[in-house]
Amino acid sequence: MSILKTGLRLTLLLATLLLLGAASLVVLAIDDQPVVTSASSADPAQARRVKQLATRAWRNSSRSQRPTPLIISENDANSLFALLSRAYPAVKGYAKINTAGATAALTITLPQTPLGRYLSIRTRLPAASDQLRFDYVQIGSLNLPGRLLNTLLAPALNLLLGNNEGDLLLQSVRIATSRPQQLTLLINPVADLKQRADRVRERLQGLRSEGPGIEAALVSHYYRQLILVDHQYPDKQAISLARFIQPLLQNAAQRSEYATAQQHNQSALFALALYLGTQRFEQLTGPMLSDELRGQRSQQATTLRGREDLRLHFVYSIALQLLAKQGISQAVGEFKELLDSNRGGSGFSFADLAADRAGTRFAQLATQTPASARRLQNRVGQSINDQDLLFTISSLPEGLTAEAFTRSFQNVESTRYQQLVARIDQQLTSLRVYDETP
């Protein structure tokens, strides 16, 4: 009996020590002041740099037969942080590059706690190493040796990505040289890169604790409904997007109860994105349609406010909102417009951005709560036209080159840009469909 009591006491003592240790780590990790106080503002030049960097990295990894250099400037790295902050406003970061390597800092704003509300991470990657390694990692006031993270990183990535992809990832790139504001990565060619990327994406989809709530059976049902609507019109006829949305949500209202309205709306709108947008969204969810259904696509020149491009912006944003948070959907729309403002693009269009935000808002209201889902079903089911989905966009600037955008708006954080976006949002909320009044 005494041995049992002693064992219980030791167990309780060990558990207490572990809890105290964990509490101490939390206290050290959370700060009451941020390390990074502001994020770089996204502009057309940064969007162009990110696109070019991604293109170069993919080309070097997939096409070359020998190690190839990839030059990354400090501006490139901070452009990535700027766009990350647009997608996740709570995240701010920056990078600095010098002869010793690359230093990065990241601050995540948390909900208010008694300990503080900022989680800040600082680290450095030294140059001229055989693979990417960390000199140190500092989380709040907690200092961790780089070798600890280096030891744990590969197994953690292997566990996350599967098939020892973590080892391959870390071994395929290293910092070859570093100088002020510019470093050169040496990238080893990766065999079967596309197939490996597909396997990793499928694995990450399978590891999601919660999927997006889009059910293949329901998506297939609503996809068939869209085909029936399509067949009511002669091929290649220009018809309004509203003529697809109204019967679609009418059917969702008939098939769903109050408690399941969100679920049916979500699947119905994802079917809309596949039918009038692109079936490539299935790459993010896994197969939703049979091969037979996938072979049936719309034959109509479906428009929003008389334009096919606005219809695409609307339905793409619906899909992105269903698959992610609202901030990501809006950031993707802005990123696309920033790219268009560069040479070779169609120019930055606030009309396109308005359609992006309208699609995001539509999907949000369709799935936000049972009440909002049911309310949207009822409003759309009564009657709907283009004027309900998007206001008149004739006064919005379009076709802005990078130079014209910068001259007029500087960047997406400027007061003038934010005022115009706020005006767009105000005009959207004035429309009957987006009004949240019960």
Side-chain angles (χ1 to χ4, degrees):
M1 183 65 69
S2 60
I3 296 177
L4 180 58
K5 288 183 178 179
T6 301
L8 287 173
R9 290 188 185 121
L10 289 175
T11 300
L12 289 172
L13 177 61
L14 180 59
T16 302
L17 291 175
L18 288 173
L19 287 173
L20 289 174
S24 299
L25 292 178
V26 171
V27 170
L28 292 172
I30 297 178
D31 294 326
D32 57 1
Q33 295 295 326
V35 169
V36 185
T37 56
S38 62
S40 177
S41 298
D43 58 32
Q46 289 177 317
R48 183 180 64 250
R49 279 194 292 268
V50 171
K51 181 181 180 182
Q52 292 173 344
L53 179 62
T55 301
R56 293 200 311 269
W58 181 266
R59 186 190 310 117
N60 289 359
S61 301
S62 60
R63 296 182 183 178
S64 178
Q65 300 300 314
R66 59 172 184 257
T68 54
L70 176 66
I71 297 174
I72 300 179
S73 69
E74 193 169 283
N75 280 339
D76 292 334
N78 285 314
S79 294
L80 284 169
F81 277 118
L83 293 170
L84 176 65
S85 184
R86 288 301 297 170
Y88 299 96
V91 179
K92 294 179 174 61
Y94 68 81
K96 292 187 178 297
I97 300 174
N98 54 35
T99 54
T103 302
L106 191 73
T107 291
I108 303 171
T109 302
L110 306 171
Q112 186 65 53
T113 72
L115 303 175
R117 61 174 308 184
Y118 301 103
L119 179 65
S120 294
I121 303 171
R122 285 168 284 193
T123 188
R124 185 174 66 190
L125 293 164
S129 178
D130 58 340
Q131 68 179 58
L132 288 179
R133 296 184 181 278
F134 295 89
D135 271 349
Y136 67 86
V137 178
Q138 184 175 351
I139 305 175
S141 302
L142 184 64
N143 293 299
L144 301 176
R147 63 179 179 275
L148 175 63
L149 185 58
N150 296 329
T151 301
L152 298 176
L153 186 59
L157 288 174
N158 286 337
L159 183 63
L160 177 65
L161 305 178
N163 199 32
N164 293 324
E165 296 291 350
D167 286 322
L168 178 65
L169 177 64
L170 293 176
Q171 293 167 7
S172 64
V173 59
R174 67 181 180 89
I175 300 178
T177 61
S178 184
R179 61 182 187 178
Q181 299 187 341
Q182 180 179 296
L183 58 81
T184 301
L185 297 180
L186 197 61
I187 299 181
N188 294 317
V190 178
D192 303 322
L193 180 60
K194 185 178 184 305
Q195 291 85 343
R196 288 178 178 275
D198 288 342
R199 286 198 300 268
V200 168
R201 183 175 61 248
E202 290 173 2
R203 179 176 178 83
L204 293 178
Q205 290 170 358
L207 290 175
R208 280 195 305 242
S209 58
E210 291 184 9
I214 301 170
E215 293 191 13
L218 288 178
V219 171
S220 296
H221 166 80
Y222 290 115
Y223 197 90
R224 292 188 184 95
Q225 299 306 303
L226 291 167
I227 294 172
L228 293 176
V229 173
D230 200 310
H231 288 171
Q232 296 176 14
Y233 302 97
D235 288 353
K236 306 300 182 183
Q237 179 177 343
I239 61 174
S240 166
L241 174 62
R243 294 189 180 181
F244 282 95
I245 290 180
Q246 183 175 0
L248 184 69
L249 287 196
Q250 279 180 336
N251 189 257
Q254 293 166 1
R255 290 177 56 86
S256 62
E257 303 293 337
Y258 179 84
T260 60
Q262 293 166 278
Q263 178 185 7
H264 279 265
N265 286 355
Q266 191 157 236
S267 297
L269 291 180
F270 195 72
L272 181 76
L274 295 177
Y275 193 69
L276 294 179
T278 174
Q279 293 176 353
R280 294 178 65 182
F281 285 122
E282 282 188 293
Q283 296 178 9
L284 303 175
T285 61
M288 290 281 150
L289 305 172
S290 65
D291 290 340
E292 178 186 359
L293 284 178
R294 199 172 290 115
Q296 300 189 57
R297 302 297 308 279
S298 176
Q299 300 301 309
Q300 312 302 338
T302 308
T303 63
L304 175 60
R305 284 287 182 176
R307 288 170 45 172
E308 291 187 67
D309 64 322
L310 295 181
R311 177 259 299 174
L312 286 173
H313 278 272
F314 188 90
V315 298
Y316 283 177
S317 293
I318 280 178
L320 292 171
Q321 171 61 18
L322 297 177
L323 295 168
K325 296 179 180 178
Q326 180 183 358
I328 293 179
S329 175
Q330 293 179 353
V332 169
E334 285 180 345
F335 181 56
K336 193 270 179 189
E337 293 310 314
L338 290 170
L339 287 176
D340 280 348
S341 69
N342 288 291
R343 187 178 301 277
S346 60
F348 192 104
S349 167
F350 281 94
D352 290 351
L353 191 61
D356 290 330
R357 298 180 83 84
T360 297
R361 187 68 180 146
F362 192 92
Q364 184 184 38
L365 292 175
T367 59
Q368 189 169 269
T369 65
S372 69
R374 204 59 164 172
R375 183 168 61 243
L376 189 68
Q377 288 177 348
N378 293 334
R379 286 182 179 172
V380 171
Q382 293 169 7
S383 66
I384 187 175
N385 54 40
D386 275 11
Q387 289 74 20
D388 295 312
L389 295 175
L390 186 63
F391 56 85
T392 303
I393 45 87
S394 57
S395 64
L396 295 176
E398 295 196 78
L400 297 175
T401 64
E403 294 77 13
F405 178 89
T406 302
R407 185 168 57 251
S408 297
F409 297 97
Q410 294 184 315
N411 54 60
V412 298
E413 298 292 345
S414 70
T415 300
R416 188 175 181 190
Y417 178 91
Q418 292 297 327
Q419 287 174 341
L420 185 47
V421 171
R423 196 183 90 198
I424 289 172
D425 288 342
Q426 184 178 14
Q427 288 181 273
L428 285 175
T429 55
S430 69
L431 300 179
R432 180 176 62 90
V433 166
Y434 307 109
D435 184 4
E436 293 191 64
T437 304

